[in-house]
Amino acid sequence: MTREEKSQVIEELTAELANNTNIYLTDISGLNAGATSNLRRAAYKANVQMAVVKNTLLEKAMQASEKDFGDLATVLKGNTSVMYSETGNAPAKLIKNFRKKSEKPLLKGAFIEEAVYLGDDQLDMLVDIKSKEELIGEIVGLLQSPAKNVISALKSGGGTIAGIIKTLSEKEG
């Protein structure tokens, strides 16, 4: 690979790092061609981009990036594959599901919404991370609950002020 080709790859990796807020580094070494193909197919279905990268080039792209990857570069040893996703937990779910049939991929580390996670032992925690949409949905649900109680009280109070006050006071008790 020429110096120009390496520079081009670093630029492309830097752009990918800039465009993605959820980045997983994995080890898929040892997977045969069929298993690798199955993993790529599963990644595509889960809307997860996957690419095998050279550690030195990825490290230079991380350094060139405006993001703070913390100690994530310390896991760049051996074979490394990068997974990008719009949903923070999608790659973690993909890895966990794929490992029902295989020992790999192993999670080396992840960068999720500016937080860094190191090691395969973080996988279960990453699976449980909620997306922004899920969190917003839960918050909206929590906010709607008191409003529903008030509307319910208004309806069951018979439409009179005394009835509404009585219904609300019974709900408090």
Side-chain angles (χ1 to χ4, degrees), residues 23-143:
I23 302 160
Y24 283 65
L25 303 180
T26 63
D27 176 5
I28 63 169
S29 65
L31 290 180
N32 63 29
T36 302
S37 179
N38 290 340
L39 177 60
R40 288 186 181 279
R41 194 174 301 111
Y44 179 78
K45 286 180 182 176
N47 203 21
V48 174
Q49 295 177 336
M50 190 174 123
V52 177
V53 296
K54 291 188 106 177
N55 290 330
T56 54
L57 301 180
L58 180 57
E59 186 171 8
K60 288 180 181 181
M62 290 168 79
Q63 291 168 354
S65 171
E66 295 180 9
K67 294 180 180 176
D68 179 10
F69 289 102
D71 292 335
L72 196 57
T74 62
V75 302
L76 295 176
K77 297 175 180 84
N79 293 322
T80 303
S81 295
V82 182
M83 293 183 176
Y84 306 104
S85 175
E86 290 183 20
T87 307
N89 64 3
K93 288 179 178 180
L94 171 69
I95 292 167
K96 188 166 182 151
N97 190 40
F98 198 80
R99 288 204 346 214
K100 291 176 182 175
K101 299 175 187 168
S102 175
E103 293 179 10
K104 301 259 176 128
L106 293 176
L107 176 67
K108 292 176 151 191
F111 179 84
I112 312 295
E113 305 280 341
E114 300 181 10
V116 175
Y117 302 87
L118 300 175
D120 195 61
D121 59 331
Q122 302 292 311
L123 185 62
D124 286 332
M125 183 173 52
L126 291 171
V127 166
D128 293 336
I129 286 180
K130 294 188 185 312
S131 70
K132 286 180 184 177
E133 292 78 16
E134 290 170 324
L135 286 174
I136 290 170
E138 284 184 9
I139 291 169
V140 168
L142 290 172
L143 292 173

Side-chain angles (χ1 to χ4, degrees), residues 140-151:
V140 168
L142 290 172
L143 292 173
Q144 285 179 341
S145 183
K148 287 179 182 176
N149 288 340
V150 171
I151 291 169

